[in-house]
Amino acid sequence: MRTKQTGLKLAGLLASVSVFAAGAGFSAQSVARAEEASQTTGAAKQKASVENFLGKPQSVTSRGSVTVHGSHIDYEAVSGTLIVHKAGWDDSELPEADKEKSQPEATASMYYVAYFKKGVRPENRPITFVYNGGPGSSSVWLHMGAFGPKRVITSDDSHTPAAPYTIVNNNDSLLDVTDLVFIDAPGTGYGRLIGKDKEKAFWGTDPDAGAFTDFIAQFLSRFGRYNSPKYLFGESYGTTRSAIVANKLADDKGIDLNGVILLSQIMNYNNDIDGAAMNPSVDQPYVLALPSYAATAWYHKCLPARHPDLKTFLKQVEHFALTDYTAALQEGNAISDAQRDATAQKLHDYTGLPVDYIKKADLRISGGEFEKNLQGDKNLDTGRLDSRFSGPTMDKLSQFSYYDPQSSGMSSAYIAAFNDYARNTLHYGNSPTFGDGYQEYKFFSDAIMKWDFSHKQPNTDSPFHGAVNVLPDLASAMKHNPRLKVMLNQGYYDLGTPYYEGIYEMKHLPISRDLSNNIQIVQYESGHMVYANQNALTQLHDNVAKFITQTYSAPSAVTAK
């Protein structure tokens, strides 16, 4: 009997334990489900917060001052975003109410920083829209290196030491003559792309230009600047963009510009020295790059003979490039041994490369080959965007350089400086209404890997899918507005967009000789980012400031009768 009772008690105990375990399991599952639901709800709220933030214009206002060439300027800075839509969007259309629609239509939240001088009437104050290129680059380089009120100090032609970096008053800011709007390309900076097929909607030659055109027109309206003198300032691919935007502003928006300022131009990609080897029978890129090769060899003292004056030396090289060198290349495989030997020897005299190497290259040296071989005997690669720079070679046996010593040498300084400046001075990038309160500033996007380079030139029926050529766009803008002035600024030591390429393109714009008088061209002893050299930056400021002040006039007073 006792055994039976003990068994019953044990069974009851086990049953109690089982019930308790089952209850505990149920409780744990409930907690887990609750936590999962809470996380899902939190993620949904954060996503909604981000989408709401990106779907509406944002702005933060701060104030500051800058001293430019002895002149003290108080300014208001507005950091924010404007929303632009894909091509064909109509603001009269209401949002679609399709419940099954998984994503909204593509839009771009484009980030900008605008500086307005205090106490000046809009019609008396020029406004300049400034951007870099890429495609897929933010405007941080021109912002923190050239014309913003603050500038980061970098080494002139060598790798800048790691942080801490020095940020100083920019004595060469253009705020002495114009208000400034630094625009980050779609998908860069604090801007983002959202919606269906978002990359396709904005990452292409024409979609990108359309976004910038819409941004500028919207900005002029929101800030009451339609009656201000207006300028574009684009660098690198930004010059390609500027040609299209200048024409679209006039054609699509009825907005005339006072001036288009170009830095390190490329408008016809058939002239690209980095792609020349893939385009046999087109030898022009080699001709147009030669003067920049010569300038680089001169800078690094790699020439077999001494040439005291750079500009005098380059005039000789330019003449040879357009005459004897062009004639030799046009012979192709039919070139005689005597002409081949003479041309190779002259190229050696102007580049410092060995005669045998030049012959092996068939008298045609690409940009990457020149960068790899000019200082190869020292195990150094030469910079591409600024050939004054050099860096240790990654692979002694490679045909091309694997990196650009200039980009590696200063990018960190710009990135650190802007992140510090944006958050601590402009007070942008840590908004609590954006997700968890942290926003990444994207200096580059991967747009170039997905870029649609097709382009529809003015007065044509369909886009062209080959190398981009926007010379017709700039020509169209100048014809629509015969008072439009154009300024081209170039660095002698730029192997990305060689200076003689820009000169050649400007001489071949399809415009009249009279209109060509509206174009001004200036060179500097610097590279692609002309402003990376302090002396060149000061010259650039002075030349651009003079260009702006000479290309607009304040409205005259009208006396009532």
Side-chain angles (χ1 to χ4, degrees), residues 232 238-248 250 257 259-262 265-267 455 457-458 469-482 484-488 502 505-511 515 518-520:
L232 304 181
T239 64
T240 310
R241 176 187 295 133
S242 287
I244 307 174
V245 171
N247 191 57
K248 287 180 70 66
L257 297 169
V260 176
I261 306 163
L262 309 168
Q265 170 180 309
I266 181 166
M267 292 198 177
H455 171 52
Q457 295 177 341
N469 187 342
V470 298
L471 290 173
D473 299 77
L474 182 59
S476 177
M478 296 180 72
K479 290 173 182 177
H480 277 295
N481 176 13
L484 177 64
K485 307 297 183 183
V486 177
M487 181 187 194
L488 171 58
E505 289 176 351
M506 283 303 186
K507 288 182 177 180
H508 289 79
L509 269 174
I511 57 176
L515 274 183
N518 289 2
I519 301 172
Q520 175 185 348

Side-chain angles (χ1 to χ4, degrees), residues 535-558:
N535 291 335
L537 170 59
T538 299
Q539 295 167 23
L540 179 65
H541 165 274
D542 293 349
N543 290 332
V544 173
K546 184 178 179 181
F547 174 83
I548 290 174
T549 56
Q550 289 182 343
T551 49
Y552 82 95
S553 57
S556 57
V558 177

Side-chain angles (χ1 to χ4, degrees), residues 155-234:
S155 300
D156 181 43
D157 64 356
S158 59
H159 197 105
T160 300
Y165 302 105
T166 303
I167 303 174
V168 299
N169 171 84
N170 187 5
N171 190 52
D172 294 302
S173 170
L174 279 175
L175 279 169
D176 57 336
V177 295
T178 179
D179 288 343
L180 298 167
V181 186
F182 294 92
I183 310 172
D184 288 344
T188 70
Y190 288 123
R192 297 293 186 268
L193 304 179
I194 56 177
K196 183 179 180 181
D197 296 329
K198 57 186 179 181
E199 294 171 350
K200 181 179 179 180
F202 296 102
W203 285 356
T205 301
D206 289 347
D208 169 89
F212 271 82
T213 301
D214 290 344
F215 177 99
I216 291 170
Q218 184 180 161
F219 188 97
L220 293 172
S221 181
R222 287 182 179 272
F223 288 90
R225 298 305 294 266
Y226 257 98
N227 204 30
S228 297
K230 294 172 279 291
Y231 297 84
L232 304 181
F233 190 112

Side-chain angles (χ1 to χ4, degrees), residues 161 190 204 303 327 399 443 506:
Y190 288 123
L303 296 173
Q399 183 178 3
F443 296 87
M506 283 303 186

